[in-house]
Every structure is written in C-alpha cells, then in structure tokens.
C-alpha cells in the first residue's frame, strides 16, 4: 500500500496519506488547516526505501538520514 506524504503550502504541516488504489484520483487536504494547497513530497512503496527527489522536508522519513 503506497503512502503519500504531503506538505501543506499554507501552514507547512507535513502529513501522510494512505492510498488504496493507484488509479484513484485523490486530492489531499491539510488535516491541520484544511487547505487544498498541498505539495506531494514522497511516495513510499513496500520493499522500497526510495529517494526523495522532490522532498525538501527535513523531517522526511526517507531523507532524514
Ligand atoms: Zn495546512
């Protein structure tokens, strides 16, 4: 199950979204301020540590080390 991490561009809140389907069109909103202006940070897939190409968030779990 993929996990998408987003950062709110409004309040800088970082949050993760579990997505059931790859084909599902999903528009995340910030859980803190409910803004729809969020930036996709990373996607995590099972068995893959991945790189954080777009991630500029220091708290990113895959980019922290
Ligand atoms: Zn926010």
């Amino acid at each position: 199950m993929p996990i998408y991490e987003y950062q709110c561009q409004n309040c800088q809140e970082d949050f993760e979204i579990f997505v059931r389907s790859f084909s599902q069109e999903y528009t995340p909103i910030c859980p803190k301020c409910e803004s729809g202006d969020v930036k996709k940070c990373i996607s995590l897939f099972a068995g893959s540590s991945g790189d954080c190409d777009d991630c500029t968030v220091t708290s990113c779990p895959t980019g922290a080390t």
Side-chain angles (χ1 to χ4, degrees):
M1 180 178 293
I3 303 172
Y4 294 107
E5 183 169 319
Y6 295 88
Q7 182 182 48
C8 179
Q9 302 299 286
N10 186 48
C11 71
Q12 315 306 309
E13 175 79 357
D14 297 325
F15 58 98
E16 295 176 343
I17 300 293
F18 293 83
V19 181
R20 296 186 195 177
S21 170
F22 289 101
S23 62
Q24 182 180 18
E25 193 70 29
Y26 185 78
T27 303
I29 60 171
C30 175
K32 187 175 181 181
C33 70
E34 299 187 336
S35 172
D37 185 14
V38 298
K39 175 185 174 185
K40 186 176 180 182
C41 179
I42 59 168
S43 58
L44 297 178
F45 295 90
S48 175
S49 58
D51 290 322
C52 234
D53 292 338
D54 297 327
C55 186
T56 58
V57 183
T58 56
S59 62
C60 177
T62 62
T65 54

